[in-house]
């Protein structure tokens, strides 16, 4: 029900790359004279699922890869691409759910990489005194601290000073996302 001209315009837009929910969607095309053929290309995974649904799908794909030998490599690849396409907060949610259920084997390297990035940013904030943005889920409550400072740690916990000057203590294991802002240093009093 769409005209050839409209389809051509949509197709050209996708060939050049279009924004789709914050991710660029682009179709690779091969040309042969006046004919165009789309090549196989990877597209960002755009999921409208809750974290329990993403977890069920990811773990389900990994478990299916153990039983279904024909598609096992594809199932593992898709499950890991889903994990890697999540935000840090999503990775934290999925990692925590998998840890609580004792199911971290399938994503051990991805979880290690995710946790390493958080630890590195925490250490960088502590060492340099730069502010950062930290997202935490503690006892089911989400906290977001923008331009906060880490004033110390005791091994399991970090001490956070908000930009309003309030001091808070949280478990490091409750941090889902930590980003150090190297361009915004402000001195404490």
């Amino acid at each position: 029900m769409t005209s050839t001209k409209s389809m051509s315009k949509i197709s050209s837009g996708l060939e050049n790359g279009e924004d789709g929910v914050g991710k660029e969607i682009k179709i690779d095309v091969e040309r042969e004279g006046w004919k165009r053929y789309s090549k196989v290309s990877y597209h960002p995974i755009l999921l409208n699922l809750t974290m329990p649904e993403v977890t069920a799908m990811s773990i389900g794909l990994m478990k299916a890869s153990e039983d279904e030998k024909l598609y096992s490599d594809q199932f593992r690849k898709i499950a890991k691409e889903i994990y890697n396409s999540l935000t840090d907060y999503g990775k934290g949610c999925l990692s925590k759910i998998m840890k609580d259920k004792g199911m971290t084997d399938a994503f051990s390297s991805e979880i290690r990489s995710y946790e390493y990035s958080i630890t590195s940013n925490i250490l960088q904030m502590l060492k340099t005194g730069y502010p950062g943005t930290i997202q935490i889920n503690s006892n089911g409550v989400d906290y977001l601290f923008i331009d906060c400072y880490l004033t110390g740690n005791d091994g399991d916990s970090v001490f956070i000073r908000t930009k309003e000057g309030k001091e808070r203590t949280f478990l490091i294991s409750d941090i889902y996302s930590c980003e150090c802002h190297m361009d915004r240093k402000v001195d404490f009093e």
Side-chain angles (χ1 to χ4, degrees):
M1 300 297 290
T2 305
S3 71
T4 304
K5 186 176 180 180
S6 293
M7 286 303 297
S8 179
K9 184 177 177 183
I10 292 168
S11 174
S12 293
L14 289 172
E15 286 176 35
N16 296 325
E18 293 282 332
D19 180 52
V21 196
K23 296 262 188 180
E24 184 181 65
I25 299 174
K26 188 173 183 175
I27 296 175
D28 291 330
V29 175
E30 287 184 354
R31 298 180 192 282
E32 192 176 292
W34 58 273
K35 294 181 182 178
R36 298 186 313 195
Y37 301 94
S38 67
K39 299 186 323 187
V40 174
S41 58
Y42 295 102
H43 300 282
I45 298 170
L46 305 173
L47 301 172
N48 188 16
L49 302 173
T50 64
M51 283 314 301
E53 290 169 336
V54 168
T55 302
M57 183 173 59
S58 299
I59 297 301
L61 285 166
M62 292 307 272
K63 287 198 175 290
S65 74
E66 295 168 5
D67 300 332
E68 179 58 55
K69 300 302 178 202
L70 181 62
Y71 296 108
S72 64
D73 291 342
Q74 286 297 328
F75 287 164
R76 286 179 185 278
K77 182 176 181 263
I78 292 167
K80 290 183 180 210
E81 283 179 359
I82 290 167
Y83 182 89
N84 290 324
S85 72
L86 295 171
T87 63
D88 284 346
Y89 182 77
K91 287 177 184 174
C93 289
L94 183 54
S95 298
K96 188 171 179 115
I97 291 168
M98 288 190 300
K99 280 183 175 180
D100 291 347
K101 295 182 181 284
M103 306 173 105
T104 56
D105 291 346
F107 293 92
S108 59
S109 63
E110 286 80 4
I111 291 172
R112 249 191 332 272
S113 175
Y114 160 74
E115 289 175 343
Y116 176 78
S117 73
I118 288 177
T119 304
S120 295
N121 279 317
I122 289 171
L123 291 172
Q124 191 171 33
M125 287 177 68
L126 285 168
K127 183 179 175 183
T128 64
Y130 287 113
T133 298
I134 299 177
Q135 201 166 4
I136 298 169
N137 184 291
S138 179
N139 298 321
V141 178
D142 285 324
Y143 298 89
L144 175 63
F145 299 105
I146 299 171
D147 290 334
C148 66
Y149 293 88
L150 296 181
T151 58
N153 73 314
D154 69 1
D156 292 333
S157 300
V158 288
F159 312 121
I160 298 173
R161 181 182 293 170
T162 66
K163 60 183 173 183
E164 293 83 21
K166 295 182 181 177
E167 294 279 341
R168 303 289 305 261
T169 303
F170 289 97
L171 291 172
I172 293 172
S173 60
D174 288 339
I175 296 175
Y176 280 63
S177 176
C178 180
E179 180 183 347
C180 182
H181 301 302
M182 300 289 284
D183 57 340
R184 299 189 223 163
K185 185 168 181 170
V186 177
D187 292 325
F188 285 108
E189 292 183 2

